[in-house]
């Protein structure tokens, strides 16, 4: 990893740690599932690693994007754990559950980032293999990989430099 890449990741740690902590807390409280971080890297491809992604825009003293991404099977498990509905297809209920989970995680992280005066958009859920999430051209998002009792998933977070 280059020094510039390491510096970029180090400068983002103040934003990333609240996301990791919030993810663990929300999964434990809302899904009864334990979570462990398995990786952290700068995102180099434009497609999320999984087929179901909730995307939340962030505005305030920084601009950014939060993406929670699950495989189809895990998204079905999240729906079942969250509201007790079983399914084997990506439908409106699955999308609503994934969007709500993303909203809970991003909202909890926002509470730890009060100095950024963030506002969150309503989650949009995008599905299908190979879907693309575009970030502002000056943003290099960080991809955080997790494993949980329900399966693996990722969160991508990218912020612009703070406005002074």
């Amino acid at each position: 990893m280059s020094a510039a890449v390491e510096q970029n990741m180090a400068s983002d740690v103040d934003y990333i740690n609240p996301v990791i902590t919030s993810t663990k807390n929300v999964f434990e409280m809302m899904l009864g599932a334990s979570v462990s971080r398995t990786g952290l890297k700068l995102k180099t491809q434009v497609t999320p690693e999984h087929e179901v992604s909730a995307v939340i825009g962030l505005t305030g003293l920084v601009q950014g994007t939060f993406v929670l991404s699950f495989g189809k099977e895990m998204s079905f498990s999240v729906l079942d754990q969250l509201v007790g509905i079983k399914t084997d297809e990506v439908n409106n209920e699955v999308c609503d559950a994934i969007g709500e989970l993303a909203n809970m995680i991003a909202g909890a992280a926002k509470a730890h980032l009060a100095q950024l005066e963030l506002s969150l958009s309503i989650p949009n859920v995008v599905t299908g293999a190979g879907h693309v999430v575009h970030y502002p051209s000056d943003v290099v998002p960080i991809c955080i990989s997790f494993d949980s009792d329900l399966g693996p998933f990722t969160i991508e977070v990218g912020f612009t430099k703070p406005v002074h």
Side-chain angles (χ1 to χ4, degrees):
M1 198 176 305
S2 75
V5 168
E6 287 179 7
Q7 176 59 35
N8 188 37
M9 288 179 73
S11 67
D12 289 337
V13 74
D14 292 337
Y15 305 147
I16 300 306
N17 284 338
V19 171
I20 293 169
T21 300
S22 297
T23 301
K24 290 179 178 182
N25 292 342
V26 168
F27 263 71
E28 185 176 297
M29 185 181 352
M30 300 306 298
L31 302 174
S34 62
V35 171
S36 60
R37 182 179 63 89
T38 58
L40 183 69
K41 63 182 180 182
L42 288 178
K43 183 160 174 59
T44 55
Q45 76 276 8
V46 295
T47 58
E49 294 185 22
H50 303 288
E51 302 95 344
V52 181
S53 297
V55 181
I56 297 177
L58 309 163
T59 59
L61 297 180
V62 296
Q63 309 301 306
T65 305
F66 171 96
V67 180
L68 174 65
S69 188
F70 294 126
K72 288 191 300 187
E73 294 300 321
M74 182 162 174
S75 68
F76 304 155
S77 296
V78 167
L79 176 65
D80 185 26
Q81 288 297 113
L82 197 58
V83 294
I85 297 174
K86 294 188 182 307
T87 188
D88 61 357
E89 66 178 345
V90 177
N91 56 28
N92 288 339
E93 288 84 11
V94 169
C95 292
D96 288 346
I98 301 309
E100 185 55 34
L101 192 64
N103 198 42
M104 286 185 258
I105 294 168
K110 172 189 168 194
H112 295 286
L113 298 168
Q115 74 278 11
L116 298 178
E117 302 174 14
L118 293 174
S119 295
L120 307 178
S121 73
I122 296 170
N124 289 298
V125 178
V126 183
T127 63
H131 63 272
V132 176
V133 175
H134 294 277
Y135 290 82
S137 60
D138 59 342
V139 172
V140 179
I142 292 177
C143 182
I144 312 163
S145 302
F146 294 93
D147 199 6
S148 75
D149 297 337
L150 303 176
F153 64 99
T154 58
I155 293 179
E156 301 171 10
V157 182
F159 292 107
T160 60
K161 298 293 180 216
V163 176
H164 298 291

